[in-house]
Structure formats: C-alpha cells, structure tokens
Amino acid sequence: MAMSIGTDPKFLSTHPPIHKSSPSTLCRCKLSVGFPCKWSFSSVYHRVDLRLTLSQHPSQRYPRKLSIKAETTDSLTYKEAGVNIDAGSELVKRIAKMAPGIGGFGGLFPLGDSYLVAGTDGVGTKLKLAFETGIHDTIGIDLVAMSVNDIVTSGAKPLFFLDYFATSILDVDLAEKVIKGIVDGCKQADCALLGGETAEMPDFYSKGEYDISGFAVGIVKKDSVIDGKSIAAGDVLIGLPSSGVHSNGFSLVRRVLARSSLSLKDKLPGGAVTLGEALMAPTIIYVKQVLEIIAKRGVKGIAHITGGGFTDNIPRVFPKGLGAAIFKDSWPIPPLFSWIQKVGNIEDAEMRRTFNMGIGMVLVVSPEASRQILQDPDTLAYHIGEVVEGEGVRYT
C-alpha cells in the first residue's frame, strides 16, 4: 500500500467537498492506496481528520480503518486567540464619554504648575509562561515597565509605584522573587516602591498560581508636558528597540506555541537562547533614556508600543488629519517575531497590530532633533518613519 500527503491540484479539483475552508485556510492532501476506499473528513479547530475506510481484499490483510491528522494552514489572529482589540477600543470610547480625558497613555491630574501623571497595568498571560518556565524573578520588572513606560510618554518622571500580588496560598519564597523583580524595576525607573497589597484567595486562583498588577505616579511641569499638539507633517519617527515581545500578545504567542513542535526549553530558531528565555525577557524600562532625550529638546510626541502594536498606538499621539508612514525595512526584526509569524502563519497586518516587532517606544521629533538622536553613539535608535498628511499608519 502506497500513501503520501502532498499537493495534487487534480485530486483537489475532483474532490471539492473534502474540506470547506475559510479564505485563510487551505488543506492540501493526496492519498494513494491502490484499491477501493471511502473518504470521510472532519475539521476540528486547526486540524483535519482524514479517515479512510478500506475495502478488505480477501487474499490480503489490510487494516479496515486508517486515520491521518494533517495540519491546516490557518492564519492565526489575536482575536481568535481570545483578545479583541476592537472591543477594547470601543470600551475606551464609552468610558471617555463618562470621564472626558480618558484614552491617553497616562492620566494627567493638575497640581499647581505641574501635572501628576498616573498609569496602571498588569502583565497579562505572560504569567502563564512564568508558571511553565519557573522564571519569576523578572516578571516584576515587566509589571513596573508597563506603567512607567506609559507615564513617561507625557514627559513625566516617575515618583513612586505600588503593587498588588494575589495568589491561592501564599508561597513566601515565590512571592519574594516576584517582588524582587518589582524592586529591580523601580530602580531602573528611578522611582520608589511605596507599598503594595498581598491577597490570599484559595477559592479564586489555582494552586501555585498568582496574579500581579500595579500603578505608577509621576510628575511633569505643565509647560513641559509632551502632548503631541505641535506634531506636523515632515516630523521624524524614531524607534527605540525592544527586548522581545515585552508583555503584550501572549494569548496569541501561546496559541503559536501550541501549534509549534518546540518546547520552551528548545533553542529559538535563529536565536542564541531558548524559546522560553526569549519569551520571558523582561520589558525594557525606557524612562531614563527617554527623559535624557526629552531634555535635549525637539520631542513632540511619544508612543509606547503595547497592545495594538504600531497600528493602534502611534496614531494616539497625532493631531487630527495626520498619520504615519513606516519604513518597513528600517530596523532589524528580532528572530523571535519571525518565528512567531512563520509558525502561526500570521499575516503582516496582524503582526503589526499585535506585537511591537522589535520597537518598544516611538518618539515623534523634529528633523533637527532626529539628527542629534541618531548621531548619538550612546543611543541605539532607528529612523523608522515620518509624519504624513492623512490619518492612520501606512507601511512603505
């Protein structure tokens, strides 16, 4: 009995009812058995079950049934992984109607000649990988980063941070590792860990699991706030490199992992570390670097590239009528993103709206300031695009 699975257009054309696919799905199969058989097909999620009922020849002992499972070429999306960015954006719009001013990277509260700027966040399902890898001493850095990177987009210097740690049954050694990461993150952001809250909820969390969240408060003079109002066509987009996925998109990452043949202990293809190490690399805290650049003048707007990627985050800092032209090949894409896209068969537009693609912070600066930033030997930055007429983000 000969059997093969491959591409056979003739076979596909003569068996159109085999698998009804969505536009992004195509299953190509060819089976040659050399004697009569009956086909039955069933599609479950991203797999196709091909079942053959073989007619048994009286003189030979063939198996009566043979099952083969073949991967489809489904293109994974963030929405299919359970995260709907559009729904999140709609909620922000509705909240903004009740509380005008909501929607920026940080919330501004007037205090004398300054603004207090606050931000809050968690680390999402990156925690699932922390449980699987046993890496808990850097997840606190991610937690601090997600808040302080948001408030620095207004030009604010972080003052203090507070955390919330919730778990099933308190494991003191594990909690100490997590909080050590928070302390390290606060040091990197040059702010104080002012306090926090620890909660044990055995009926709410699974044994051995925990959740963390936190918020940061900073301050900026009113005449120094970065608000994007002076951005004009012709201004330059400067990208600061990321350390990897940071803390967004992990619902989709975990879906890709499930499809992959690799484990978290395997080496990342094209990389120098394991897949688990690459995914758990802590989020870069950009505070000191960004404040140093702001001090040199010429920064008009700053976007923290988190959930929503380039597509949703960069336009948040633009005045109406302006958009961004991104130069696609202007910075190196880290191997981790290439691996995610290949294994997940993820479209370019989906990657750019889900992940930071190697750029964690984008500064909108004057052409004069861009030359100074790009020529600074102590600053690793890329000229990734320009401000153009017309809203939205386009890729050239």
Side-chain angles (χ1 to χ4, degrees), residues 7-8 45 92 107 145 158 175 177 236 268 287 309 314 320 332 339 394:
T7 303
D8 188 339
Y45 297 105
V92 171
K177 291 179 181 179
V236 177
L268 169 69
V287 171
I314 295 177
K320 288 185 177 181
W339 178 82
R394 65 200 70 168

Side-chain angles (χ1 to χ4, degrees), residues 294-322:
I294 290 174
K296 297 175 182 177
R297 307 288 182 182
V299 177
K300 299 182 178 184
I302 306 174
H304 183 199
I305 309 303
T306 56
F310 279 24
T311 305
D312 286 6
N313 284 297
I314 295 177
R316 293 169 64 180
V317 304
F318 289 159
K320 288 185 177 181
L322 296 179

Side-chain angles (χ1 to χ4, degrees), residues 241-303:
S242 70
S243 58
V245 180
H246 282 183
S247 299
N248 293 96
F250 276 87
S251 293
L252 182 52
V253 166
R254 289 170 56 238
R255 185 64 63 87
V256 171
L257 278 170
R259 173 178 287 193
S260 164
S261 61
L262 299 182
S263 76
L264 293 170
K265 294 181 180 180
D266 289 325
K267 187 176 179 181
L268 169 69
V273 297
T274 66
L275 187 55
E277 290 169 337
L279 290 170
M280 288 301 296
T283 305
I284 291 178
I285 292 178
Y286 294 98
V287 171
K288 292 180 180 179
Q289 182 181 13
V290 169
L291 290 178
E292 288 175 0
I293 294 174
I294 290 174
K296 297 175 182 177
R297 307 288 182 182
V299 177
K300 299 182 178 184
I302 306 174

Side-chain angles (χ1 to χ4, degrees), residues 46-128:
H46 301 295
R47 291 181 179 272
V48 177
D49 185 34
L50 290 75
R51 184 173 294 277
L52 294 178
T53 301
L54 308 180
S55 301
Q56 187 170 2
H57 193 282
S59 62
Q60 296 181 355
R61 295 181 178 179
Y62 294 122
R64 293 196 62 82
K65 289 187 178 182
L66 175 65
S67 293
I68 301 169
K69 288 186 176 180
E71 291 286 350
T72 68
T73 55
D74 290 17
S75 180
L76 296 181
T77 67
Y78 206 13
K79 186 174 182 179
E80 289 171 350
V83 180
N84 189 337
I85 296 175
D86 292 326
S89 299
E90 176 61 25
L91 179 60
V92 171
K93 291 178 182 178
R94 295 188 186 187
I95 294 174
K97 293 178 181 179
M98 298 180 280
I102 297 292
F105 289 99
L108 277 65
F109 182 83
L111 183 68
D113 64 350
S114 299
Y115 285 113
L116 291 180
V117 185
T120 184
D121 212 335
V123 295
T125 54
K126 188 172 186 175
L127 284 173
K128 289 287 188 180

Side-chain angles (χ1 to χ4, degrees), residues 16 22 64 83 101 113 118 140 144 166 178 185 218 249 279 368 384 387:
S22 67
R64 293 196 62 82
V83 180
D113 64 350
V144 175
V178 175
L279 290 170
E368 297 77 14
I384 66 166
V387 179

